[in-house]
Amino acid sequence: MTTGELRAAAIGAARRCGADAVRIAPAEPQAWTHERMSASFARGDLQTWPYDEGYAAKAADPRTLLADARSVVCVAVAYATPPRAPEPGRGRVSNYAWSDDYHRRMRALLGALARELQTLGATTAIACDTAPVAERAFAERAGVGWIGKHTNLIAPGLGSYVFLGEVVTSLALAPDEPLKKSCGACTRCVTACPTGALRGDYTIDATRCISDLTQRTGPIPRELRPLIGTWVWGCDLCQDACPPTNRAPRTAAAFAPLDAETRAPSLAALLRLKSGEFKRRYARTAIGWRGGAMLRRNAAVAMGNLLDRADVPALEEAVAVDPHPLVRGHAAWALGRIGSPQALAVLHGRGAVETDALAADEIAQALLSYSQTPRLR
């Protein structure tokens, strides 16, 4: 085959396998990507996660995955489905997490594409989110889209609700050119972020990002909890504010919610979530890897932001019997936010018997914060 025929075959194969967009990047080390990632790690933007300089070096060089790499076939799959307004007493879940786990779907697509490329004499390696590849950077280099100020890739006609994947291959495929596009003067995503995670210069302090906060394993900083609203997993605010994303269709039926409860779970039910129920409901989704305690913690924070006295009994139960001190502590914070006589009585009672230092401190801080907050008389 000629170079042009090989390229056409690779792109056709990607389309047949289910890619909504496909472009080619050269499998060359990207010095600029390495520099940007290193600078981000040095600022502490991603300190919640175990990334370091070694990861930056690997992610910027496809030869980390495939020694004889010559091309990177970059694909995007749209996953946006119609949005829904927040519902009383229910948590919010990011679009990407309310259907079957995209990792499995993307790996199946990429695996099928890799097998087709192998019939052309190629060696291949696939990457989807978990491999050390700077996916957005290579997709941007290939011209799949451009990086927005919310730091997500924006694909023309698809917006930023796209899953990315790569097949690194030994085939020498003519590369595409990057798009000559940017967000210009638009800062809607920056304005939409309640926690100020987006700087407006195409960088993000992920330690303040709601998506990061709902997935970390430790306590959520107290000063950020009121800004999370009712998000219990991920956040879509910056993407929902993005004009190109708003103009894109939201018709990805394959990524529709598994059911209404997965899309917008009852906070009271989520706060009482047992291990078996967590596995039954969430093992199929991108939420399943973290554990039920994180969801219970997030449900407690969401209840603290709703300020609904009807939630006090569920929070009282959590602060008394939840096996995880992280959940008990955040439930105490929520009770302090609600501040009703019943909520304060629960806190005083639990403060006398709580043995875990973290949870006890949360109870003490909840009572202190309440006593120091001016109240209407």
Side-chain angles (χ1 to χ4, degrees):
M1 283 189 180
T2 66
T3 302
E5 289 172 335
L6 279 175
R7 173 187 162 83
I11 291 176
R15 292 288 189 184
R16 286 193 301 276
C17 291
D20 292 313
V22 54
R23 307 266 285 195
I24 311 296
E28 301 168 347
Q30 293 192 3
W32 175 233
T33 295
H34 187 179
E35 291 170 8
R36 284 188 296 182
M37 293 185 75
S38 296
S40 177
F41 298 162
R43 287 192 300 267
D45 291 351
L46 295 160
Q47 64 183 358
T48 302
W49 310 99
Y51 297 130
D52 56 19
E53 173 58 28
Y55 182 92
K58 292 177 181 178
D61 187 353
R63 294 173 303 181
T64 298
L65 289 183
L66 188 69
D68 59 347
R70 300 183 71 181
S71 305
V72 183
V73 182
C74 299
V75 304
V77 175
Y79 67 88
T81 52
R84 187 180 238 171
E87 302 174 48
R90 293 188 172 271
R92 303 181 72 180
V93 174
S94 180
N95 280 225
Y96 82 89
W98 62 38
S99 62
D100 283 325
D101 190 348
Y102 71 93
H103 293 94
R104 289 193 288 269
R105 296 187 183 199
M106 290 298 294
R107 288 186 190 120
L109 184 161
L110 295 168
L113 173 56
R115 288 190 291 273
E116 292 218 27
L117 295 182
Q118 288 162 12
T119 66
L120 302 175
T123 55
T124 61
I126 66 174
C128 175
D129 190 32
T130 54
V133 173
E135 294 189 297
R136 283 173 285 186
F138 280 97
E140 181 184 40
R141 170 60 186 85
V144 175
W146 76 96
I147 304 298
K149 289 180 182 175
H150 47 38
T151 73
N152 296 293
L153 184 103
I154 303 171
L158 302 175
S160 59
Y161 282 123
V162 290
F163 295 129
L164 302 178
E166 299 77 39
V167 176
V168 183
T169 176
S170 60
L171 291 177
L173 305 173
D176 291 290
E177 292 298 318
L179 302 180
K180 295 180 180 180
K181 293 181 71 71
S182 73
C183 295
C186 181
T187 57
R188 293 186 187 183
C189 62
V190 178
T191 303
C193 180
T195 61
L198 298 172
R199 300 187 177 100
D201 60 355
Y202 300 90
T203 68
I204 181 174
D205 179 356
T207 65
R208 299 184 64 85
C209 174
I210 291 174
S211 184
D212 180 287
L213 294 170
T214 58
Q215 295 181 62
R216 64 173 55 185
T217 56
I220 297 173
R222 292 189 188 103
E223 70 274 14
L224 295 178
R225 293 174 197 173
L227 306 177
I228 290 175
T230 55
W231 290 101
V232 294
W233 189 267
C235 177
D236 292 332
L237 293 176
C238 63
Q239 296 191 79
D240 284 341
C242 176
T245 300
N246 280 329
R247 290 193 295 268
R250 296 195 174 206
T251 55
F255 294 99
L258 294 178
D259 52 45
E261 191 67 18
T262 305
R263 179 175 197 158
S266 160
L267 292 174
L270 206 58
L271 191 60
R272 296 185 173 101
L273 190 67
K274 299 293 190 290
S275 176
E277 175 64 13
F278 171 79
K279 293 176 181 177
R280 186 189 72 78
R281 176 165 293 281
Y282 294 107
R284 292 172 55 187
T285 75
I287 300 175
W289 70 285
R290 231 350 166 195
M294 303 305 102
L295 283 180
R296 299 198 304 275
R297 174 202 62 192
N298 297 343
V301 172
M303 285 179 167
N305 290 329
L306 286 178
L307 301 176
D308 188 344
R309 294 187 178 194
D311 288 330
V312 170
L315 290 165
E316 178 179 6
E317 179 183 339
V319 82
V321 303
D322 194 283
H324 204 302
L326 190 69
V327 180
R328 299 200 300 275
H330 285 69
W333 174 85
L335 288 167
R337 286 269 288 176
I338 293 171
S340 67
Q342 182 185 359
L344 296 176
V346 171
L347 289 172
H348 281 293
R350 289 304 307 170
V353 296
E354 177 61 62
T355 58
D356 179 84
L358 184 151
D361 180 63
E362 289 279 5
I363 292 171
Q365 289 296 324
L367 288 167
L368 179 63
S369 297
Y370 181 83
S371 67
Q372 292 178 343
T373 301
R375 305 285 167 180
L376 293 177
R377 302 296 182 187

